[in-house]
Amino acid sequence: MNDALTFHFDVDGENFVSAGQASVQVKKNLRELGFPPEVIRRVSIAMYEGEINMVIHAGGGEADVDVFEDRIVIVLTDRGPGIPDIDLAMQEGYSTATDRVRSLGFGAGMGLPNMKRYTDEMRIDSTVGKGTVITMSILVNNR
Amino acid sequence: MRVSELIDKYGMKALSLPDPDREIAGGYCGDLLSWVMGRAQQDNAWITIMSNMNVVAVASLSDVSCVILAEGVTLEQGIVDTARGKDVNVLSSEKSAFEIAALLAPDV
């Protein structure tokens, strides 16, 4: 199958209560398409973390999901402040989240590490002052 | 052990129980949502004192069998409704996270 099934979502930047809606919808779609539970779980976790990051740090953004038979590709695009030091941001426990965000249970510095852990490939393209594009792939038969 | 058995056996209160027959396999304690997302396993019972809307999303996406709110924490009605709509089991216990984990450990 070469033609991907694609889903597009606008992620609202100010709404913590509804954060995760795109991820929940993708989970539902993948379940209906019959993907294995562990694949759905990995996609859900990686995408939710990315979605929350866009809400916390970038004032929202866009999420595009391409579903192929053998892999799922998630592209998260924002026009936020960018990530000055990607190696630092990838360290578990490093976070620039505010106290308010932390009081909601976020900001543990696990978002990007979780995204890497649960995906087979992850690329971060970020320009300070312009924004960030994160591309993640999950292979269906890999685990 | 099934989620519904927690109610009679340990005196927990069901706040949202759309899937009472779901089996519990192991458990996880934590309040930092990303930590839970990264470490909790599918079918775990997740014990926490967090009670905001994001708990429902994390429980749904990480596919835990139920959320157990410790220390008598409860949910606002709107969050209960969302949990039911997303098939997320949520129970509440007066006991601490430590006590709940100790109780469940032999059974799950």
Side-chain angles (χ1 to χ4, degrees):
Chain A
M1 183 172 85
N2 292 320
D3 293 334
L5 203 56
T6 63
F7 305 110
H8 176 84
F9 303 92
D10 291 317
V11 177
D12 183 354
E14 293 304 318
N15 197 341
F16 272 101
V17 173
S18 66
Q21 277 183 350
S23 309
V24 170
Q25 187 59 47
V26 166
K27 179 186 176 181
K28 201 174 156 203
N29 294 350
L30 294 179
R31 187 175 275 173
E32 283 167 6
L33 289 166
F35 281 91
E38 187 54 25
V39 169
I40 296 174
R41 200 175 106 90
R42 291 170 59 210
V43 170
S44 300
I45 291 172
M47 186 163 167
Y48 181 70
E49 293 285 13
E51 207 182 332
I52 290 293
N53 274 351
M54 290 200 290
V55 174
I56 292 175
H57 299 290
E62 293 171 38
D64 290 282
V65 182
D66 289 342
V67 181
F68 299 90
E69 205 167 278
D70 62 342
R71 70 189 190 282
I72 292 151
V73 180
I74 305 164
V75 182
L76 306 170
T77 308
D78 71 58
R79 291 178 192 80
I83 304 170
D85 186 337
I86 290 173
D87 287 341
L88 187 59
M90 287 301 301
Q91 285 181 17
E92 285 193 5
Y94 178 81
S95 175
T96 58
T98 61
D99 286 347
R100 178 179 158 262
V101 167
R102 288 171 200 260
S103 74
L104 293 169
F106 299 112
M110 294 291 288
L112 287 170
N114 276 350
M115 288 156 73
K116 185 162 180 64
R117 174 186 304 185
Y118 281 102
T119 57
D120 293 297
E121 286 171 22
M122 177 165 116
R123 201 179 77 216
I124 303 176
D125 297 304
S126 191
T127 308
V128 172
K130 288 199 166 173
T132 300
V133 179
I134 295 185
T135 307
M136 298 180 283
S137 299
I138 289 112
L139 304 179
V140 172
N141 296 316
N142 196 34
R143 295 187 191 182
Chain B
M1 148 176 238
R2 289 198 302 269
V3 173
S4 59
E5 294 176 59
L6 295 172
I7 298 163
D8 288 336
K9 190 162 183 185
Y10 300 123
M12 293 185 193
K13 188 177 160 197
L15 304 180
S16 162
L17 203 59
D19 192 2
D21 292 332
R22 182 143 181 200
E23 283 288 332
I24 303 171
Y28 192 84
C29 299
D31 305 315
L32 293 173
L33 300 182
S34 285
W35 209 276
V36 175
M37 288 287 270
R39 303 295 166 96
Q41 303 293 308
Q42 194 170 343
D43 299 325
N44 277 178
W46 170 26
I47 305 166
T48 182
I49 53 162
M50 274 289 176
S51 60
N52 60 50
M53 186 68 90
N54 306 108
V55 167
V56 176
V58 169
S60 170
L61 295 168
S62 60
D63 213 10
V64 295
S65 57
C66 63
V67 180
I68 301 174
L69 301 173
E71 313 273 5
V73 168
T74 57
L75 295 180
E76 289 172 15
Q77 189 56 45
I79 303 177
V80 169
D81 294 342
T82 304
R84 287 185 183 137
K86 294 198 190 309
D87 276 342
V88 173
N89 293 320
V90 185
L91 299 98
S92 179
S93 168
E94 296 298 322
K95 295 183 167 57
S96 72
F98 177 82
E99 290 171 314
I100 296 167
L103 276 176
L104 259 62
D107 290 336
V108 301

